[in-house]
Amino acid sequence: MKTPHTRDHWESLASGLNVRTQAFIDGKYVDAASGKSFDCLSPIDGRSLGRVAECEGEDIERAVRAARRSFDTGMWSQATPAQRKRVLLRFAELIDAHAEELALLESLDMGKPVGDALSVDVAASVRCMAWTGEALDKIYGEVAPTGPGELGLVTREPLGVVGAIVPWNFPLLMATWKLAPALAMGNSVVLKPSEKSPLSAIRLAEIAMQAGIPAGVFNVVPGFGKGAGEPLALHMDVDGLVFTGSTAVGKHLLQCAGRSNLKRAYMECGGKSPNIVFADAHDLGKAAAAAASGIFYNQGEVCTAASRLLVEASIKEEFVALVVEAGRRMQPLHPFEANAPMGAMVDEGQTRRVLDYIDKGVAEGARLVLGGQRVEPVAGGCYIQPTVFDDVAHDHTISREEIFGPVLAVIGFDSEAQALAIANDTEYGLAAGLWTADLSRAHRVARNLRAGSVWVNYWDGGDMTAPFGGYKQSGNGRDKSLHAFDKYTEMKATWINLEA
Ligand code: NAD
């Protein structure tokens, strides 16, 4: 569902917006200890959104200390599940009550269509918080199957202080995927948003307080990876580190955990997801529309982007024509336009990176059949056309590396076995999709795809009820569902001698 609001509505809301830019530590907005700040630019048109506190070691120290103190008092960690549930449900209601403001911050900060920010990012954050709140008082421990002389109890306890480092592509939602289960289990959290999109997380801290999260239980420390993220990852008093971002940084953070205190470390990383279309698919038009939105939605800045389109040779020409037609209709517009199919790339750096990949695709001999250019629907903004390369060889750079932009690589195949071999020949394993009317093939291929999420006859299905995460170098944990609680708890076995 797209927003019914006009561009004027959002511009007028933006002009009255009071943008919070400080860190949030121990229940208060504060400047960075160094007094440093960095400029936060909107990729929509290059406008400055303010100067954001640039947290570094000393700020991380303060935030971790506040988190530890709050944890040790027990005011949150020892609250009853019913009490925590009430607060999380209130938190969800308040996020919903601030939906337009949060959607606007998201759109201004990272360039996505504000309609999507409202109907997807904010709506899914509300659902995540509410679902998690609802679930948390239905978690039971276990009684071990012992003999009559002893009792074995298996219980979960919060980790303590959790550091969360999140990316810029779904800033509010990725923060919420970490925050909700961490809080639900009684932890205190220090969240480092991406330097490219810190605003919604900064605002969220205040909303959390309003909901009843005690001071110190949720802290937000904006800053850069090296300056703020690394001290958090290396901190000896952080018990858990949860991350969503690139595979390279995820690997580095695992080393930080090992070099410091062996903190529990869970990484959700990148992807290069295959979308396989067999000639017997029910409806090629629908499959083509899904293939286009699977790569162009959110400007292709999606970890599960359907970036590799594998098409059976007998229908390839026809199918690529349909995808190109669907893609042509998804040109970037000002993100405040009611039905903008795509908005702006997150910043200049990412725009250049994606354009470099496009140049590489051409240089390595793939056939550019749609887009490929930077465009300017808004002066001073970062926009790239929906781009499709046909006849991509499996060893081309654009077929192997995560581009994180609106660039589709089309690869042909002749048999199911070949499709599976190409699909699985990647270091990633986040998601995969397949289109077929053959039930046996659907199950067979789904079973053999090495990916954490597999979609049959659609793309990007899923909600809070199922876990989300990757195989291989796409990650080592799961967000969402009851399984997410595993990352935020220690498991304790208590043995009681009944014959004492
Ligand atoms: P990134 O890895 O560059 O940054 C992610 C976060 O890590 C940011 O907050 C950044 O400041 C921080 N960081 C960077 N270097 C660091 C360091 N040395 N120490 C500590 N922290 C550091 O990723 P990005 O560009 O923000 O996001 C895009 C990536 O995120 C893509 O690879 C995408 O696939 C992935 N992603 C994965 C999922 C998932 O659930 N698997 C979801 C969304 C995005």
Side-chain angles (χ1 to χ4, degrees):
M1 193 191 74
K2 294 279 179 175
T3 172
H5 293 314
T6 60
R7 185 164 155 183
D8 285 349
H9 168 85
W10 293 109
E11 282 296 1
S12 107
L13 212 58
S15 64
L17 199 61
N18 176 19
V19 180
R20 294 277 194 192
T21 53
Q22 289 172 294
F24 192 84
I25 298 176
D26 209 8
K28 287 187 277 304
Y29 281 111
V30 292
D31 290 328
S34 65
K36 284 205 239 172
S37 62
F38 60 95
D39 208 6
C40 185
L41 299 177
S42 173
I44 293 179
D45 50 12
R47 74 179 87 169
S48 172
L49 301 170
R51 293 198 64 86
V52 173
E54 185 180 335
C55 291
E56 291 174 325
E58 196 177 333
D59 308 289
I60 303 306
E61 194 56 49
R62 275 197 293 170
V64 172
R65 243 186 281 129
R68 173 61 59 194
R69 228 178 8 249
S70 72
F71 185 79
D72 288 346
T73 63
M75 57 188 161
W76 182 253
S77 54
Q78 301 288 322
T80 65
Q83 286 166 333
R84 286 205 296 269
K85 168 183 175 165
R86 266 197 301 279
V87 173
L88 291 203
L89 292 181
R90 175 92 186 111
F91 197 178
E93 279 168 17
L94 285 173
I95 297 172
D96 198 28
H98 292 91
E100 288 205 358
E101 181 194 348
L102 289 165
L104 184 60
L105 283 174
E106 216 71 322
S107 178
L108 282 168
D109 211 0
M110 64 70 67
K112 71 173 64 201
V114 70
D116 292 340
L118 190 63
S119 64
V120 178
D121 298 60
V122 178
S125 300
V126 171
R127 280 198 300 276
C128 172
M129 194 59 74
W131 191 94
T132 308
E134 282 293 351
L136 80 89
D137 64 348
K138 294 161 192 76
I139 306 291
Y140 291 77
E142 295 164 18
V143 177
T146 59
E150 55 193 355
L151 175 63
L153 300 176
V154 182
T155 51
R156 289 170 188 260
E157 295 178 355
L159 293 178
V161 175
V162 170
I165 300 179
V166 294
W168 48 261
N169 61 337
F170 292 88
L172 182 73
L173 186 59
M174 293 303 102
T176 309
W177 280 9
K178 312 296 186 199
L179 188 61
L183 292 177
M185 293 292 102
N187 298 281
S188 290
V189 177
V190 178
L191 172 72
K192 195 206 85 63
S194 168
E195 60 277 18
K196 298 181 184 185
S197 62
L199 300 181
S200 56
I202 294 176
R203 179 72 176 96
L204 190 65
E206 196 174 27
I207 295 173
M209 283 277 282
Q210 258 175 289
I213 302 284
V217 171
F218 175 36
N219 307 276
V220 180
V221 286
F224 293 90
K226 278 258 175 266
E230 199 139 327
L232 187 60
L234 286 168
H235 203 289
M236 294 299 286
D237 202 28
V238 169
D239 305 288
L241 179 66
V242 289
F243 168 80
T244 296
S246 62
T247 293
V249 174
K251 286 181 175 183
H252 176 66
L253 295 183
L254 286 176
Q255 290 179 341
C256 290
R259 273 166 47 207
S260 54
N261 59 342
L262 203 68
K263 49 180 68 67
R264 308 290 170 262
Y266 298 101
M267 307 292 130
E268 302 295 338
C269 300
K272 189 75 187 174
S273 300
N275 182 20
I276 309 171
V277 182
F278 290 98
D280 66 1
H282 293 281
D283 180 338
L284 291 185
K286 254 193 201 152
S293 69
I295 180 64
F296 301 133
Y297 178 75
N298 210 47
Q299 307 72 243
E301 297 163 330
V302 181
C303 53
T304 55
S307 52
R308 289 187 296 147
L309 177 61
L310 277 50
V311 189
E312 192 158 357
S314 61
I315 57 159
K316 185 158 149 299
E317 201 182 321
E318 175 196 357
F319 193 75
V320 171
L322 290 171
V323 173
V324 164
E325 195 185 309
R328 208 187 299 285
R329 289 195 295 268
M330 294 189 69
Q331 301 299 327
L333 295 174
H334 192 299
F336 292 177
E337 292 291 350
N339 289 305
M342 285 209 292
M345 307 301 296
V346 70
D347 66 3
E348 273 298 327
Q350 184 65 10
T351 306
R352 276 197 304 275
R353 188 171 172 266
V354 173
L355 292 170
D356 283 350
Y357 273 113
I358 293 173
D359 288 346
K360 218 172 258 178
V362 173
E364 290 181 5
R367 195 158 58 86
L368 183 64
V369 291
L370 181 70
Q373 299 294 317
R374 182 173 186 156
V375 284
E376 258 206 355
V378 188
C382 302
Y383 300 85
I384 296 179
Q385 292 173 325
T387 297
V388 178
F389 280 100
D390 197 0
D391 297 332
V392 176
H394 181 44
D395 59 354
H396 283 169
T397 307
I398 58 168
S399 163
R400 305 211 67 85
E401 295 184 12
E402 184 182 42
I403 298 175
F404 227 54
V407 181
L408 180 64
V410 184
I411 304 166
F413 69 83
D414 293 308
S415 67
E416 185 182 307
Q418 191 192 8
L420 264 172
I422 296 171
N424 285 334
D425 183 19
T426 163
E427 67 200 37
Y428 297 111
L430 191 57
L434 69 125
W435 299 76
T436 179
D438 179 335
L439 183 66
S440 305
R441 167 180 275 167
H443 280 289
R444 197 166 54 234
V445 175
R447 182 177 285 183
N448 286 303
L449 282 164
R450 304 281 301 154
S453 294
V454 175
W455 297 301
V456 179
N457 292 329
Y458 69 157
W459 188 263
D460 209 17
D463 58 18
M464 280 303 297
T465 59
F468 178 87
Y471 283 26
K472 299 193 268 182
Q473 294 186 41
S474 286
N476 66 350
R478 293 294 181 271
D479 285 324
K480 308 207 287 185
S481 84
L482 299 180
H483 295 283
F485 293 138
D486 296 346
K487 296 203 293 196
Y488 301 96
T489 46
E490 290 286 10
M491 205 171 257
K492 179 177 277 179
T494 305
W495 289 93
I496 300 169
N497 181 358
L498 301 181
E499 291 166 349

